[in-house]
Amino acid sequence: MTTRQATLWERFLSPVVRSLVDEEAMVRLSQRIDWETEVARRCDRSLIYPEYYRSQNFHGVEGGYLTLGAAVSYDPITQYVLPPNETWVRQCAVEAVRSHPRRILDLGCGTGSTTLLFKEAFPDAEAIGLDLSPQMLVMASYKAAQAGLNIQWKHGLAERTGFPDAAFDLVSASLLFHELPPEVSQQVLRECFRLLKPGGEAIVLDGNQTTLRQNPWLMEVFEEPYIGDYAEGDLVKWMQRAGFEAVDSREYWWIHQVTRGVKPLAVSEREPSFEAFSWEGGSIALA
């Protein structure tokens, strides 16, 4: 029988992070929320959790994100494990937007940290955060209420959201794709393409795939079941395969990347071209 070896996180980083986290504050926060009521209100009982999600313990947490403990501890821990600063990293996704969206969908929104930043940047836009964990959505809703931000929260699958075609100007995903099998990531990108209006933007913030490939020890830090497959992939090619144009990926602080793509305009919406026309002396072709 093979004994599982402790990860680098368990051996070295977890004790350090736990010494920094105010666990009493986490307990007080959890006691402010009626979890049974709020989870029931957020939960879509008809939703079937996919095998790739319900069978894994993300970050080594028993039960993954479908627990109260994960929802309460996610923010206090993430602020220390997303160098150099969590808000700066998430803000990169916001700054990658080159339009002024009216409807925003944040996929795999978790506790809503990036969703809140989008709403603050585009206060007139309708913002929706979608996640598979009702517990995380409860925390996201709590944070939005504390910040006085009007954001809708939906329990659902990123690869099959249920929203109509061309419903959004911006679709984003932060720190989601490294937690998905590559084939699901590409399903999500196809869903992003379907959901966007022509000219709309998709923004993906995640780990730098090149850095992860070249430094395998980074993938050993956390218990992420799909991060190795993610590192071997190429988000630029994935987005192009899904139909996006003008795809661009930029590195931030060595360990992060933001990848952006645009859904092409329909032919009738592109800039007009001048076709040949006839006049008395012959024909002239203008380009």
Side-chain angles (χ1 to χ4, degrees):
M1 177 177 169
T2 304
T3 304
R4 185 183 74 85
Q5 293 187 343
T7 63
L8 293 175
W9 166 260
E10 291 170 326
R11 283 182 285 168
F12 304 114
L13 297 179
S14 180
V16 174
V17 171
R18 288 195 174 278
S19 70
L20 297 171
V21 170
D22 187 343
E23 295 193 10
E24 291 184 2
M26 287 167 49
V27 171
R28 291 194 297 272
L29 174 59
S30 68
Q31 292 174 341
R32 293 192 196 111
I33 299 171
D34 181 348
W35 287 92
E36 184 176 356
T37 300
E38 291 301 313
V39 167
R41 189 160 70 91
R42 298 286 171 193
C43 186
D44 178 355
R45 299 293 181 185
S46 66
L47 189 149
I48 299 174
Y49 294 104
E51 181 68 18
Y52 72 79
Y53 188 78
R54 60 184 175 84
S55 65
Q56 301 295 337
N57 296 330
F58 297 96
H59 299 293
V61 177
E62 190 71 30
Y65 292 124
L66 296 171
T67 64
L68 183 158
V72 173
S73 64
Y74 184 86
D75 287 337
I77 292 176
T78 302
Q79 67 176 317
Y80 294 112
V81 298
L82 207 63
N85 177 287
E86 181 187 359
T87 301
W88 297 353
V89 173
R90 294 184 184 277
Q91 190 65 36
C92 290
V94 179
E95 292 173 357
V97 179
R98 300 180 195 172
S99 61
H100 197 91
R102 296 180 180 179
R103 294 197 80 211
I104 301 170
L105 176 62
D106 189 26
L107 299 173
C109 66
T111 62
S113 297
T114 307
T115 326
L116 269 65
L117 291 177
F118 277 121
K119 182 63 176 177
E120 289 171 347
F122 305 105
D124 295 331
E126 177 185 0
I128 301 173
L130 179 145
D131 201 88
L132 254 178
S133 167
Q135 289 84 357
M136 301 292 267
L137 291 175
V138 169
M139 183 54 63
S141 178
Y142 177 85
K143 288 164 61 177
Q146 294 295 110
L149 296 174
N150 181 20
I151 299 173
Q152 300 174 47
W153 306 103
K154 177 178 171 61
H155 185 213
L157 291 159
E159 64 268 38
R160 194 167 59 253
T161 63
F163 289 111
D165 293 354
F168 297 93
D169 306 291
L170 171 66
V171 178
S172 67
S174 297
L175 309 178
L176 170 65
F177 281 28
H178 74 273
E179 297 189 341
L180 300 174
E183 62 273 15
V184 178
S185 295
Q186 292 174 71
Q187 290 173 23
V188 172
L189 288 173
R190 290 194 293 271
E191 179 73 347
C192 291
F193 191 87
R194 183 187 70 80
L195 291 170
L196 283 169
K197 298 175 183 178
E201 299 175 88
I203 304 289
V204 178
L205 163 65
D206 219 302
N208 186 322
Q209 289 170 304
T210 301
T211 299
L212 291 171
R213 278 195 300 272
Q214 296 174 350
N215 299 272
W217 62 269
L218 284 170
M219 293 184 280
E220 297 177 12
V221 172
F222 303 106
E223 290 189 47
E224 290 286 7
Y226 309 114
I227 195 168
D229 292 331
Y230 166 78
E232 292 300 319
D234 186 329
L235 261 170
V236 170
K237 290 182 179 178
W238 291 353
M239 292 188 78
Q240 291 172 336
R241 195 177 301 149
F244 289 98
E245 294 183 349
V247 181
D248 176 61
S249 192
R250 300 189 182 187
E251 176 185 307
Y252 294 89
W253 296 291
W254 184 63
I255 199 171
H256 313 290
Q257 73 182 36
V258 174
T259 309
R260 173 186 177 273
V262 178
K263 182 172 181 175
L265 294 171
V267 174
S268 61
E269 296 174 298
R270 294 178 186 269
E271 291 188 12
S273 60
F274 295 92
E275 299 179 352
F277 65 94
S278 298
W279 63 298
E280 289 183 10
S283 65
I284 297 177
L286 297 178

